[in-house]
Amino acid sequence: MSLPYEKMLNIGSLIPFLYDESQKGLPEGKSPTEIITNFFEKYTDLKTEKEQIDLMFRMIQYIERQVVLFDSIEDAAFPSLHSENEKGSLESIYHIAQSQGKLKQVRERIEDFTTRVVFTAHPTQFYPTNVQQIIQDLRDAIQQDSVSKIDMLLQQLGKTPFINEEKPTPYDEAVSIIYYLQNVYYQTIGRLYNEVNQLFFTEKHPLKSPIIQLGFWPGGDRDGNPFVTAEITWKVASLLRTSILKVYYKHLKIVQRRLTFKHVSQPLKELNDLIYKNMFDENGTIYLDDIKSRLQRIRTILIEEHNSTFLNILDDFIMRVEIFGLHFASLDIRQDSRIHQKVINQIVEKYTGINLDNATEDEKIEILTNPSFVANPADFEEEIVVDTIKNVYQLKDIQKRNGETGVNRYIISNSETIFDVLNVYALFKFCGYQDEDIKFDIMPLFETIHGLDGAETTMNKLYNLPVYQAHLERRNKKQSIMLGFSDGTKDGGYIKANWEIYRTKEILSSISEKNQIEVIFFDGRGGPPARGGGKTHEFYASQGKTIANHEIQITIQGQTITSNYGTLPQAKYNFEQLYTAGIISDVFSSNTSQISPDERVLIDKLATISYQKYEDLKAHPSFLPYLENMSTLNYYGKTNIGSRPSKRGGDKKLAFEDLRAIPFVGSWSQLKQNIPGYFGVGTAINELKKQGHLDEVKDLFKNSGFFKTLIQNSMMSMEKTYFPLTSYMKDDAEYGEFWTILFDEYNLSKELCLEISGYSSLMQDEPLNKSSVQLREKIVLPLLTIQQFALNKIHHDSPLKETYEQMVMRSLFGNINASRNSA
């Protein structure tokens, strides 16, 4: 409260009064405008609007820093709140396997199982690198209980800008995540690998396959982001390569301190010098095989001439080189299917004169898979066509420099037909690739309800297409398929989206098996439950035998990167929990993993009813206007949080299908209404209750791990919901009726979720997470009041509208980071 922030001497003592006014006034039906007006009259002598605005901006800055302090405290407490051998840890799996005589099964499963965590650059994380470093130092100071260090760091925090002066570029976003690769994940994944080896394998028969693989989207994800160009992709791929070399150089210094022996120290020095030379050169000539062969020669000498002294230290380094190669994390390429179609149409028309829209299916397949031309970017004028062709050409060079693992997946958003996949295959062919040179997994992303419904037909046709069959043969008969929880929920509502994805996985598992293809599912999950986040580990542990479980692959983004994977203890815990979920599901799955035919009928009814309720909401004439005029939707794209626009389609009028899931879900979160996380759940359960099936739904919650996780995640969304904040809207002539629809469904959903679970309060079985949510909501309540006050001023066309718009944008940051998984 006494921090010497600029012009902030009494801010710390004023905020509790605003909190008190909000906490008492909002449930009584007072509007944020009344609360703010009353606060200024009672607790300040500020008379002019300009002075009051100035104070509110400073309060926003102060609360942001309170959030950072709480983050640091929570991060510092993490190791003492989570023991090394708690449920889901490697150690607990070992003891369970030992007691049940399943060690051999677990060992076999580990040798055949990988978890891929893919870091995306979606605009939900805004801390600049210097703020991230202060948070890290603050956490360490709290753990050391050093009051003087904490005091100095808080002073530094007070004077350090929290917001970017300009929008980050995709390259900036890459730099931000590479910070974690270098400082957290290199150590964490190495330690986990060693732990698996020590628990389940022996020195004579060590584990040779990776357990965790990292994926990377900044610089490769073109979908809706015009700033990701071929040039950016090349720069990011080079940055990943030089970044891992820097880490190797540092690690090798530690190895050199011990391996000071004859015939060993000199080759180590030569390797270190070679790495040093290449880590500053984007066009360096070092290759992975060269590093590996040098290390193996040194290893042989160490064994034969020096009695294997310190072999474990060398082997630890060799293991990291095996895991991270020269790529550090695999760069994925992603683009929207509609863009591909546009590019393909222009290329084909340019070189053949054929309009693909008029061609038959067979003619299209022949043109796409057996072209009579090679495309040249210089032959085209439209930027997206030129850049797409350049990108496809450069991918071969990136593979050569960073290794095949450096970039070997091409994801197609909004996939709905076989041509969405074949168009990407065609791009490689059009750019001169021979069939055997296409060392890429071409991956459809089914994310709309329509796309999910058609996934079976699409994949069946592809599996039976001779040219694609031959491609899969070259890819070891493996097909990766991405499923979008974020857009699925936005499109179809909470229960429907999750159930559709579950069933689609079952269907695709079955047809892939029939075609002797190993299908690997990659789940596009966001931070909050509404976008597939929440209790992720429990979700995977509850998947039954009807879903292929060769790998777990998920996206991690936004604040979830910093909140769940931002420190060594957190990253180790969450990587470990995610990895073991796949082992548990396969080796120890219980009856709760299997959904019986009767349970399926029940979930299907719930999904259908909730979907209709959500569809009715989307069809309401106030749906989009409410989001545009009463929420923060329009301000996501204006903030300097991320490089990607908040909607597809440029500046044209807002259409629901162009709206991105992040600002959509995030706007509901800022309103403290969290609609995508539960809307329709209450109506669905209530309908079955009226039909006399409530006991069956209670049994479903008790017996189905899938359904229980779904409802518990929905409860988390509701715990973060606070309708008193916006209760003033119920009297709004334009939006009052719409607000009441939302509020009624929230009350119904809360009441019935508690009834079927038997809980007396939301998140009853998660005391730690619940405490965290409640404390964070308490911190940001004054911030939310200020935000609503500003939105109301904008809504009523204040003469200072632009200033209040700035206030809304500034208030976004603290709310986003306090929620930790709000978008």
Side-chain angles (χ1 to χ4, degrees), residues 612-662:
Q612 190 54 56
K613 179 72 175 175
Y614 184 67
E615 283 291 290
D616 291 345
L617 184 75
K618 279 163 52 182
H620 195 287
S622 294
F623 184 76
L624 278 180
Y626 180 82
L627 275 174
E628 281 195 283
N629 297 318
M630 305 301 278
S631 82
T632 58
L633 180 68
N634 290 330
Y635 301 99
Y636 266 83
K638 295 177 183 177
T639 55
N640 293 333
I641 299 177
S643 68
R644 197 166 70 163
S646 58
K647 68 184 181 74
R648 297 178 175 97
D651 295 326
K652 70 177 187 182
K653 188 174 183 290
L654 179 66
F656 181 77
E657 57 273 15
D658 290 332
L659 192 55
R660 291 201 166 280
I662 289 169

Side-chain angles (χ1 to χ4, degrees), residues 233-265:
T233 301
W234 183 263
K235 277 183 72 177
V236 170
S238 297
L239 180 65
L240 284 163
R241 174 187 162 92
T242 55
S243 296
I244 188 59
L245 285 172
K246 286 172 185 174
V247 178
Y248 288 158
Y249 179 76
K250 193 175 171 184
H251 191 164
L252 210 46
K253 288 289 183 195
I254 297 167
V255 176
Q256 285 179 285
R257 283 175 73 102
R258 291 292 165 265
L259 301 185
T260 52
F261 318 133
K262 194 176 182 182
H263 300 143
V264 170
S265 60

Side-chain angles (χ1 to χ4, degrees), residues 99-117:
S99 64
Q100 293 184 12
K102 290 186 173 180
L103 271 176
K104 185 171 179 286
Q105 279 174 266
V106 171
R107 202 174 289 120
E108 287 170 356
R109 184 70 184 128
I110 288 170
E111 287 177 321
D112 190 40
F113 186 72
T114 307
T115 294
R116 182 187 287 255
V117 177

